[in-house]
Amino acid sequence: MLPLVLAMRVCLIADPAQCHDLPPLPLSGGTTMIGCALAVQIEGVKWQMAHPNWFVARSRCGPVSRTADL
């Protein structure tokens, strides 16, 4: 089983055309796809609370090789 990572694309609220991809967040080795889906929600909220002028436009959780195409 490939290690799972969380990838997020974030955009500026004042100008939604200004977006960038955050570095993938590696998850612990025993994380399941269900745990990965929960991590997407939890980490997305944490990030948005720390960056109030931005929003998470897209997120993906999966094996390292499949998150590159956000």
Side-chain angles (χ1 to χ4, degrees):
M1 182 174 169
L2 292 172
L4 300 176
V5 295
L6 166 65
M8 292 188 286
R9 176 170 291 154
V10 297
C11 300
L12 190 60
I13 290 173
D15 183 4
Q18 287 191 34
C19 300
H20 66 273
D21 295 331
L22 298 178
L25 176 67
L27 301 174
S28 65
T31 303
T32 64
M33 283 304 289
I34 292 172
C36 205
L38 290 172
V40 166
Q41 295 176 26
I42 293 167
E43 295 303 322
V45 169
K46 283 184 191 177
W47 192 91
Q48 278 191 243
M49 288 179 68
H51 303 86
N53 295 325
W54 294 80
F55 68 97
V56 177
R58 184 174 293 173
S59 60
R60 178 165 296 174
C61 193
V64 174
S65 62
R66 294 189 187 156
T67 56
D69 61 342
L70 259 181

